[in-house]
């Protein structure tokens, strides 16, 4: 029944009726960013949307349109803006976008908001956008709004990671276009994955600092930070099960559902 | 062959290869805005995307992800932000979003850009965003970029409008959730249209001024500014044929294709 | 009795006394923009001021100092910023100016404000500036402010246009430095009009899109978008009579005067 | 021949012809601010404009339209924003206005610019606006622009002040709506001065600090900071002679005229 | 007992306990700016901090960390940004810094704030930052906050200046790296003063205007605007005694201590 | 020889002479933030400054004045802005501060810049500020600037952490006012540490999401996220040795020293 969770597929009277039930409204925050030669540029749009829609179905929520452009890709987490097709916004721009949307939702009576981030670099502009929105909302005299903000990949069991990485989890900091994202994409949009192009040049071994301008040897040529080989839709399902279950649990707890 | 026109479904090496051919890159600019009880909130996302994708196929272009949130809805053109589910950005926010995206495309080597607007209120923030981007791009030493900016509905033959409105075209200023948009939606996303809910309360007769705060009787209760009755997918096809043909012609002329 | 309507010619005790009567305060929004070889750069300052002052006399209002610089001229409506002497502000700049002025007026107790636009391109920055001001004013706890925003040329009878254009009104979109503005200038500041320089190169026939950079043949070399020949002060009087009467009527209705 | 110095009364071909002669372009920066019960709110618009026009006639310059709204009035220099009719802009707003205008003038080929300030509080936003403009102009590759920025009242001979204040000059810091401004207004716009209302409550004796919120006894109730009694048009002429002569001399020296 | 006045050397429970006593919180606003060949770049950080700490000890206050970067140095008051080591912020940047800090202090319950400026050019950004903070604080529903803003050097007896300058005080406008600042530095941080490098090239004789770009002969090569010879720690003590006593008196009066 | 590394203790001729040697200029980015009952609010100012000064001595650099106010404290990394004495800036504010300083350094000829962050939440505003500065610097035609940005605590050997935490390192995400920071403070400013107040309420066990408004039980009452017991100056020395050695190595490598 995916129609009911997509906020923007409702007519306005339907939206009004839904908001009267005090639903959780999810805002997925994505990016248009390189994800190696085997994945499309919209991975960070597709995955948080997929997670949000599944969780929304569990908790009776609505998913607002996903933000397709995120904060500028950084070398150590996403390869960098120089990679072709990577289209990042300035931090202030993204912050204002999130502030404006959260404020509008609040003015329409939404009191439960969850920002689901799908692009690591969005984390801080999202924090700031939400913080500014909460400040403005208070000044507008609106009360009772609760908001959560999170990265979907943090909702995973340790056991699942151990199962996925029998030789040890390399850490989320290298998870860009690698096993986790590739497996999830194989689950939800296999048509956009070309496993034959999975590169062999990782894992990246970043120094503990950023550098401007970027050094040529800083990021693997493929833009993939760790191995994607071995990705399967089944593994994607393990992850998706964790993400949706754990996130739904957290939401139910925070919003008293 | 829709895969090839969707920019964000490319991998980065595919994007790089495409940009090397100097394609036209389209940026559809949408909105999340009430469109009456018979249409969803995402009409202004779906239609410019549909037009842009069809034109891109004709001229060998790429369509960047559609902006799902536009400038604040105004009573005289879209009903207003008070309508449930209408989520508008401040003008400065939208301007910065467009500036950032155009700048990034230019830095990636794109030299032909077309902003396809699907929400009337976006027109001026888009003008400003593009103007600021062109200023920044010049400061960055990038040359040779040409950009167009347009509302898709302006690409229509007078004869088509006469055929659609035998009793006279009421004017684009009342075309919000009315015959044109409804017919186009019946063509491209009929599953999101519920003709049984087409309201009867238009047409709106606006005074020649804006007013803050909004008067209760300013906008028809349904949010529909003119009649949507009589909308059909066939009429949508007449429009879509005009939009794509005339727009492709204009693009070929301006870019020398 | 022009002294009484010019806000800035009052002393502060006089202003205070006037505001205590709850007057309508007009803010004319102008521009410094080319208006062809026969008209000065300040047409868009002079005309909305003249209209506002006449209406203010009818409804007992005050006219704040006219903004002499407006939003950047656009090719399709005013010729463009490249025309010598055209001095436009960025949209955000003009928006902040209008926001600040409306907020200050509200803090001084003004509760009836009318923004009278004389330059087409100002319309949207004025909408945004007023919208931001209303938001701030609410946050400041000020209640009861009503504001109108309009283009003065929209206050005209169809019959008057028919009388002025026996062969059919070309539409306001081409009315830049043409018959309407020229006639009004002959009425109020004939000393600044040189009818001997009225150009012959219109009317402009714009394509339905904007283009950056501007094509050389986009705008008539004179900067005049339609014919100005045949302009007379008498025709200017017809227009001025409509503008002032219809606008005064609208104001009386909205403010309950 | 006042027509030739008013930039905005030129047509665009006339402006282009004038700019080709490399004239000095003056931008008077005014305010809408209380000036006691005997003077109008627009003193700070009228006086820098009058000075600029007179100097422009001497040096063959052009005077751009005066900015009618300045930075927020401060208690120690202008009484404060709480005085009725005082309409100040935020500093950032005024800064952007000045930046935008100077940039536009530079793009039109103007290479000699003089900002003539008539409102003390404008000094720093004008400095910043001009500094930002010079930075942007350099980034745009424009060379050879020289700009001056000044308060007109600083162009006065010590002997003139001694003649005006036989008992000693109280200092420019108290000169608000006092002898100097009142005399100049009697010279250039006597119709707006009502000497019968000259107050008796000065001079102000400010402590050496600002205070928020304002203390009731901080500013004289009249808003006049020092005596205006004894003001005459003749004294205004003494001042105007100094202002125009000394400013013209400085301009000739700086621009090599 | 310097520990007690340094806000940032408290732990948070200590801060909370101190704020409960409604102390005066001082924010020194400094700069990193050339002060001639005999003084370090941080004079404008050290001196307002030293004054604030001494006053805080007298009135039982706390001194927040000094802002080490101020508004851009101007030729007529500080030599200009082109002097090596001079690191100024844009006005808007400094304004936002001050706004944010004052707002945060207010949210923590501070109700008595004194901004102690040590760099002339900071005066207006500090005014604006404080004004914006007071506006925001009102919107946040916080009441009862009183703030002062001042330049520490204005708290001096006429007799002290006469004693320091037997031949007449040249005026604060030339006091940059000169006798007053040098003497104060000899008092509080003699280790950073090298009197052997005191230059001989002043006093500066500025014209009454600013000029962009800067003329080579506008500022003395040393960056010192008036004589520093004759500076002594004893003279610094005379000044410091005045500053602390007069400022403490003003604070006690305004805050009713 | 600490005098030579403190940029702001130089006179401008000394600064100029130093910059001519192409030194590394360090900008420590701190905060005023709660660090539990046993540490002062300025830990995040003191520690990055101490590291930067030690490294500057090794590599012949200069340390610019430390930014004493950072980005708003977040519950999961620093406890949150509600803790008394925590004074955070908005992200845009801090970004502009860093942008301005880096631009000014570049204009003064500095070509090697290292931002040393001492407050986790500053990381992203620092990235953005540096990125904006590099963009502006390119537009200003300045070439050859290389910049690094880092958190000092990332420069540590695994062996050192193992030695410090024989039972396993709890992770930097909980290192706030805990063993590492407390030990370093005991090393460099023991006078500001009160080990008798070390709290017992950690470690924090955060859920994997942010929440607005903050839940009362989200952060330990003390604001300390993990145990500080067992902190010693000796352990601080182990850390400091790693930080300075590894950071100096990285700098030498990147700048070719």
């Amino acid at each position: 029944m995916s129609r009911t969770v997509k906020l923007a597929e409702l007519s306005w009277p339907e939206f009004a009726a839904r908001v009267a039930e005090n639903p959780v409204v999810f805002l997925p925050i994505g990016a248009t960013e390189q994800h190696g030669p085997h994945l499309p540029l919209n991975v960070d749009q597709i995955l948080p949307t997929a997670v949000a829609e599944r969780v929304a179905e569990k908790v009776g929520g609505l998913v607002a349109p996903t933000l397709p452009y995120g904060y500028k890709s950084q070398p150590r987490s996403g390869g960098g803006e120089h990679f072709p097709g990577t289209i990042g916004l300035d931090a202030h721009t993204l912050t204002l976008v999130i502030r404006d949307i959260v404020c509008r939702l609040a003015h329409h009576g939404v009191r439960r908001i969850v920002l689901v981030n799908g692009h690591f670099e969005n984390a801080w502009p999202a924090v700031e956008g939400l913080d500014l929105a909460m400040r403005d909302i208070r000044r507008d005299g609106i009360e009772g709004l609760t908001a959560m903000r999170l990265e979907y990949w943090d909702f995973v069991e340790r056991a699942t990671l151990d199962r996925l990485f029998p030789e040890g989890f390399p850490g989320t900091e290298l998870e860009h276009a690698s096993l986790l994202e590739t497996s999830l994409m194989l689950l939800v949009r296999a048509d956009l994955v070309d496993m034959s192009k999975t590169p062999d040049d990782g894992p990246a071994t970043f120094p503990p600092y950023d550098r401007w301008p970027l050094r040529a040897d800083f990021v693997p040529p493929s833009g993939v930070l760790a191995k994607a080989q071995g990705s399967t839709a089944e593994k994607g399902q393990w992850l998706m099960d964790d993400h949706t279950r754990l996130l739904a649990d957290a939401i139910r707890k925070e919003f008293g559902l």
Side-chain angles (χ1 to χ4, degrees), chain A:
Chain A
M1 203 172 68
S2 74
R3 181 176 178 273
T4 49
V5 304
K6 294 185 181 173
L7 183 151
E9 295 195 352
L10 302 175
S11 69
W12 74 258
E14 290 169 335
F15 173 88
R18 292 289 292 271
V19 168
E21 297 164 14
N22 197 11
V24 180
V25 174
F26 297 79
L27 176 64
I29 310 179
T32 298
E33 186 195 35
Q34 75 87 10
H35 274 74
H38 63 303
L39 290 176
L41 298 166
N42 61 4
V43 166
D44 289 353
Q45 301 165 40
I46 289 171
L47 295 183
T49 308
V51 171
E53 288 178 357
R54 281 158 179 77
V55 178
E57 283 173 7
K58 284 176 182 279
V59 302
L62 290 173
V63 181
T66 299
L67 295 181
Y69 301 95
Y71 180 56
K72 288 173 283 196
S73 179
Q74 297 301 312
R76 287 201 281 164
S77 45
E81 285 290 298
H82 63 293
F83 268 99
T86 303
I87 303 172
L89 305 177
D90 281 359
H92 191 50
T93 304
L94 180 58
T95 295
L96 294 181
V97 168
I98 292 169
R99 180 201 67 178
D100 287 3
I101 294 171
V102 172
C103 282
R104 291 306 310 155
L105 289 172
H107 277 270
H108 284 311
V110 174
R111 292 296 175 267
R112 291 166 168 159
I113 294 178
V114 178
L115 272 57
V116 180
N117 182 23
H119 170 65
F120 179 75
E121 291 88 338
N122 289 341
W124 288 92
V127 165
E128 182 69 355
L130 187 48
D131 197 65
L132 297 184
M134 297 302 283
R135 182 193 292 173
D136 281 355
I137 288 166
R138 282 193 302 268
R139 288 177 182 165
D140 289 336
I142 293 174
E143 295 184 354
L145 174 61
T146 301
M148 297 170 69
R149 197 212 62 77
L150 52 94
E151 282 70 45
Y152 73 81
W153 52 78
D154 285 334
F155 291 77
V156 65
E157 300 281 5
R158 184 72 227 178
T160 306
L161 292 175
D162 290 342
R163 200 168 156 202
L164 288 163
F165 299 97
E167 298 170 28
F169 179 43
T172 49
E173 61 276 22
L174 290 186
E175 179 48 48
H176 179 78
S178 307
L179 186 94
L180 303 184
E181 289 190 326
T182 305
S183 294
L184 282 166
M185 283 297 289
L186 286 169
L187 175 70
V188 298
R189 286 298 302 274
D191 59 309
L192 296 175
V193 184
D194 183 347
M195 287 300 288
S196 75
K197 296 196 174 143
T198 306
D200 241 343
D201 57 354
T205 52
F206 293 114
Y209 50 85
D210 303 315
R211 186 193 194 272
W212 278 257
L214 192 64
R215 280 221 339 239
D217 60 345
F218 213 83
V219 180
S222 70
V224 177
L225 304 189
K227 297 290 176 196
Q229 281 84 350
S231 300
T232 65
E234 186 191 23
K235 291 176 182 171
Q237 188 67 55
W238 300 346
L239 288 162
M240 185 61 83
D241 287 347
D242 270 22
H243 296 337
T244 51
R245 182 172 49 81
L246 294 173
L247 184 43
D249 287 349
I251 285 169
R252 287 193 192 100
K253 179 183 159 202
E254 286 298 337
F255 295 123
L257 298 175

